[in-house]
Amino acid sequence: MYPLQTLHTFGLPACAQEIEYIHSLAEAKQLMDKLAGRSYYILGEGSNTVFLEDFAGSILKIAIKGIALHESAEHYELHVGAGENWHALIEWCLARDIYGFENLALIPGTVGAAPIQNIGAYGVEVEQFIHSVDYLCLASGEVKSLTHKECRFGYRDSIFKQQLAGQFVIGMVKFRLPKSWQANARYAELKTIQNPSAEEIFAKVVEMRQAKLPDPKIIGNAGSFFKNPIIGLTLYQHLQQRHHELPSYPVNAKQVKIPAAWLIDKLGFKGKQQGGICCHVSQPLVLTNDGSGTGEALLTLARQIKQAVKQEFGIELENEVLLVSNNGLVHV
Ligand code: FAD
Ligand code: EPU
């Protein structure tokens, strides 16, 4: 049995039957052939994955490395191995005066996982810079590539979470960053800096994140536990009559996004502690593990939150984190 506690940032005690490291897509193909039909879970840095209990299968840990830089007159193009660390890539770019990623500073995890849920923060989503994604297609055994358009990116969403779910191993992400950089300072707290440089945005984002979000090295967590729900205008207008201060962000002519943190805060869960699991005091969308939590305690608190939100607001929360049980993924 192989311990997983340090391989996922939520830090629950769990084991897998074995762990294999993948250094290339050719190696991934060999492993998949060897596993033939047995259970496995592909793992980056485990910052969006919670192992609720022992996993009856193999862990395939992505260790595909390498950063190659190509230049045209107008763009930088980066070909990055799926196992590179996301934040380290941003630092690598800043050190070479390559700008664009700075709003996404300090998001934990690997480059290969970034397109899967289209990581986003402080007014930017990674899809903006993705040119294409190379992956091993598990159905055909071939290495294929998807263009930005084919990835069908959305809020915390892509083809990898939908039609291709469970059928791919990402090996490389190709990014294209325009040389003519423009700051993205639309997010309220970034507007306070006059004509910010990329380094200033990077520093501000790091500062804001450190102030709000618990550091997984100190207290176990997997970032936002739920997605921010997108609801129709009819429900929104109905809710607004009861809660005038309900915040919202426009999505399109028919839908708005509601901050789940506000709903959870309003229901009084902030700071609630139960069985070693806590609804974080400065960001109630984040659930934490004080070191004594269990998978069962986490599911219990998460289900209480989900039920209360449904009852009070008629909104169905959906977990953003991937919850892995003994034999695969489960939902709250
Ligand atoms: P893992 O958890 O290891 O894997 C995530 C999923 O991707 C799993 O389904 C796994 O099977 C699959 N996977 C991983 N690599 C591959 C591959 N190469 N091929 C095929 N499948 C693969 N996210 C945001 O979007 N914005 C934020 O601001 C943000 N803040 C966070 C803050 C904290 C403190 C934490 C702990 C998490 C935060 N997250 C955020 C979530 C997380 O950082 C991202 O989802 C990240 O992209 C996960 O990377 P990972 O390598 O740890 O993925
Ligand atoms: N809020 C409260 N009470 C609180 C905290 C927040 O009511 O204690 C409300 C406020 O109205 C606030 C709003 O929630 O304006 C939004 O809060 P915040 O800006 O902290 O962002 P979020 O919507 O909770 C999202 C992402 C984060 C990302 C931040 C910054 C999702 C699910 N989460 O959080 O991503 O870092 O925006 O852009 O979309 C993650 O995915 O793991 C993650 C951390």
Side-chain angles (χ1 to χ4, degrees):
M1 293 297 268
Y2 197 94
L4 297 173
Q5 197 161 11
T6 58
L7 293 184
H8 66 134
T9 58
F10 207 85
L12 294 177
C15 288
Q17 286 175 352
E18 59 172 357
I19 181 159
E20 301 270 11
Y21 287 80
I22 293 182
H23 301 91
S24 66
L25 287 187
E27 218 173 87
K29 173 148 174 37
Q30 279 174 2
L31 257 173
M32 289 298 177
D33 291 344
K34 191 179 108 185
L35 284 169
R38 281 184 284 146
S39 292
Y40 62 84
Y41 186 83
I42 300 170
L43 189 65
E45 292 181 12
S47 63
N48 209 31
T49 295
V50 177
F51 291 105
L52 296 165
E53 57 188 354
D54 288 349
F55 176 65
S58 306
I59 298 299
L60 311 185
K61 182 137 168 70
I62 300 296
I64 304 172
K65 297 289 186 184
I67 305 177
L69 173 62
H70 307 269
E71 267 186 67
S72 68
E74 289 174 1
H75 292 100
Y76 293 109
E77 196 163 300
L78 290 158
H79 298 185
V80 189
E84 293 288 344
N85 174 267
W86 173 255
H87 181 74
L89 173 67
I90 303 181
E91 290 179 319
W92 189 96
C93 288
L94 284 178
R96 288 161 181 78
D97 298 334
I98 299 172
Y99 305 139
F101 291 147
E102 51 284 343
N103 296 56
L104 303 174
L106 222 59
I107 298 181
T110 54
V111 167
I116 297 174
Q117 75 150 3
N118 184 19
I119 56 168
Y122 300 100
V124 171
E125 286 180 331
V126 74
E127 64 146 309
Q128 192 182 325
F129 307 106
I130 293 181
H131 175 256
S132 57
V133 178
D134 291 357
Y135 70 103
L136 173 71
C137 168
L138 298 181
S140 68
E142 290 166 42
V143 174
K144 296 186 177 177
S145 188
L146 287 178
T147 61
H148 173 272
K149 190 163 178 237
E150 288 168 336
C151 288
R152 299 190 205 168
F153 291 114
Y155 164 66
R156 295 294 189 275
D157 201 19
S158 73
I159 193 168
F160 301 108
K161 294 193 79 103
Q162 303 294 337
Q163 294 87 342
L164 281 185
Q167 293 179 50
F168 64 92
V169 182
I170 292 178
M172 186 194 282
V173 184
K174 294 180 180 163
F175 299 97
R176 187 173 280 179
L177 296 115
K179 286 187 171 174
S180 61
W181 174 81
Q182 277 193 320
N184 182 329
R186 284 194 292 269
Y187 196 87
E189 284 150 289
L190 293 174
K191 281 188 189 146
T192 55
I193 322 171
Q194 292 290 309
N195 293 323
S197 65
E199 283 83 0
E200 282 172 325
I201 292 182
F202 176 86
K204 183 69 184 172
V205 168
V206 167
E207 183 194 312
M208 289 190 288
R209 293 183 68 98
Q210 285 175 336
K212 268 193 229 174
L213 294 167
D215 179 352
K217 289 196 190 90
I218 299 166
I219 180 139
N221 75 92
S224 300
F225 191 87
F226 296 103
K227 287 186 203 170
N228 283 330
I230 294 174
I231 63 169
L233 283 184
T234 314
L235 175 58
Y236 173 63
Q237 281 153 6
H238 168 74
L239 288 172
Q240 246 200 339
Q241 284 167 8
R242 279 196 291 144
H243 305 282
H244 301 293
E245 71 291 16
L246 176 70
S248 68
Y249 316 106
V251 172
N252 54 41
K254 292 181 181 160
Q255 292 176 307
V256 292
K257 199 197 283 176
I258 305 291
W262 188 90
L263 305 173
I264 298 169
D265 196 350
K266 186 82 182 166
L267 291 168
F269 280 101
K270 197 154 140 174
K272 182 168 181 177
Q273 208 152 3
Q274 196 171 279
I277 305 295
C278 183
C279 183
H280 193 59
V281 281
S282 55
Q283 195 6 305
L285 191 49
V286 178
L287 302 184
T288 63
N289 166 24
D290 72 4
S292 67
T294 60
E296 212 180 307
L298 172 62
L299 285 181
T300 302
L301 182 58
R303 284 177 178 149
Q304 284 168 2
I305 292 172
K306 186 175 157 110
Q307 242 170 39
V309 168
K310 174 79 182 162
Q311 200 172 332
E312 176 62 25
F313 302 106
I315 294 177
E316 198 83 49
L317 289 182
E318 193 187 328
N319 48 290
E320 197 232 61
V321 298
L322 295 139
L323 302 167
V324 185
S325 73
N326 185 264
N327 54 9
L329 291 174
V330 292
H331 292 276
V332 169

